[in-house]
Each structure stands twice: as structure tokens, then as C-alpha cells.
Amino acid sequence: MLNRGLTTALLGIGAAQLLKVPLHYVETGQWDWKKTFGSGDMPSSHSSAVTSLTTYVGMKNGVSSMDFGICSIFGLIVMYDAMGIRWQAGQTAIAVNDLYEQVEHFADKHPDINYKKQEKELKEMLGHMPIEVVGGAVLGVALGALSYLLESGKKKA
């Protein structure tokens, strides 16, 4: 492997994205394969990526290493952003989409009003609820530890 840390983080993203499909099915009874490539939902792939990397680096280099410190701060910023700014942006998109719908409805009742319908709604699923971030973090810790243990096992053999 060229870079075990990078590979571990990418696997964290992939695993979280794939898990979104069956978790969505359990919640709604519908298979939605678009969840594999979408943002938002459970578990957070951002959290999974940064915690898998941080866990791997911490186990490999020690929690007192500079690398672990950098990964930890980077991870906290990413997870905070996923719950904060990106979540609020999604809430704003919901409000704007609702306004578009109300204006369109109003324009339909008043033909003298010139209104051009939006071609596409704003994307609403941008961020995460705290439980989704925690879910991604738990997945990431497990994947990071597994990656380290598999690497350590190969070196001993």
C-alpha cells in the first residue's frame, strides 16, 4: 500500500457511504442507491474518514505524536463543520426551496405576475445531525483500529 493512512481514510468514506443505503432502508422501507453518493444522513462519511485516519495515526505513531495532534484538530474541525455550517446551509436551502414553491403557487393564481420557475431545487441534505456525526466517528474508530491491527499482524507474520 502506498499510504496506509490515506487508504484507511478513503475506506472510512466508502464504508460510511455504503452503510447509508441499508440504514435508509431500515428507516424508510425503501432502497435508495443515490445515498451512496449523497451527502448527509447516517453515518457521516466525513466523521468516518477523519476518525479512521486519526485512530490509525494515533495507534501507529502514538497519541503524543505531532501527526496525531494534526489529525485530531483537523478531525474536530471537519466534524464541527458537518454539524454546524453545513447543517445550517441545508436548513437555509429548505427555506429557500419552500419560498420558491410559495412564489410559484402565488404566480399560478395571478397570471399577470411574471415568474420563471426554478429548473432545479437547492440541495437540502448537506450536513449532519450530531447522532450522524457520532455514528460516523464510531465507524471510523473501528476502521482505523482494524487497519492498524491488520498492518501490525502482517509485519509479525
Side-chain angles (χ1 to χ4, degrees):
M1 242 178 247
L2 295 175
N3 185 319
R4 186 74 176 215
L6 178 61
T7 303
T8 299
L10 291 173
L11 287 172
I13 292 170
Q17 288 301 122
L18 288 173
L19 278 172
K20 289 179 183 192
V21 175
L23 290 173
H24 179 76
Y25 177 78
V26 168
E27 185 179 329
T28 66
Q30 297 176 357
W31 291 102
D32 185 358
W33 293 99
K34 292 177 191 169
K35 297 285 182 189
T36 306
F37 300 103
S39 57
D41 289 322
M42 170 70 105
S44 164
S45 59
H46 292 84
S47 295
S48 181
V50 295
T51 56
S52 63
L53 175 62
T54 302
T55 301
Y56 171 77
V57 167
M59 293 178 79
K60 183 169 180 77
N61 299 343
V63 295
S64 62
S65 70
M66 178 67 74
D67 295 337
F68 178 78
I70 293 168
C71 288
S72 297
I73 294 301
F74 169 68
L76 290 172
I77 291 168
V78 167
M79 291 187 292
Y80 177 80
D81 181 61
M83 286 187 301
I85 296 166
R86 290 178 63 241
W87 177 258
Q88 288 299 318
Q91 296 302 302
T92 301
I94 290 169
V96 169
N97 286 338
D98 287 346
L99 283 173
Y100 284 151
E101 189 177 312
Q102 290 174 14
V103 169
E104 185 178 330
H105 182 70
F106 181 78
D108 286 344
K109 290 186 174 190
H110 302 279
D112 55 318
I113 295 177
N114 186 17
Y115 173 72
K116 182 181 176 192
K117 182 179 176 177
Q118 292 297 112
E119 291 180 26
K120 189 166 108 173
E121 285 190 337
L122 296 175
K123 187 172 181 179
E124 296 175 354
M125 286 297 295
L126 299 173
H128 294 280
M129 293 184 287
I131 190 68
E132 295 168 343
V133 170
V134 170
V138 169
L139 175 62
V141 168
L143 291 172
L146 180 64
S147 180
Y148 173 77
L149 293 171
L150 289 172
E151 179 184 50
S152 298
K154 285 182 182 176
K155 289 181 182 178
K156 291 179 183 175

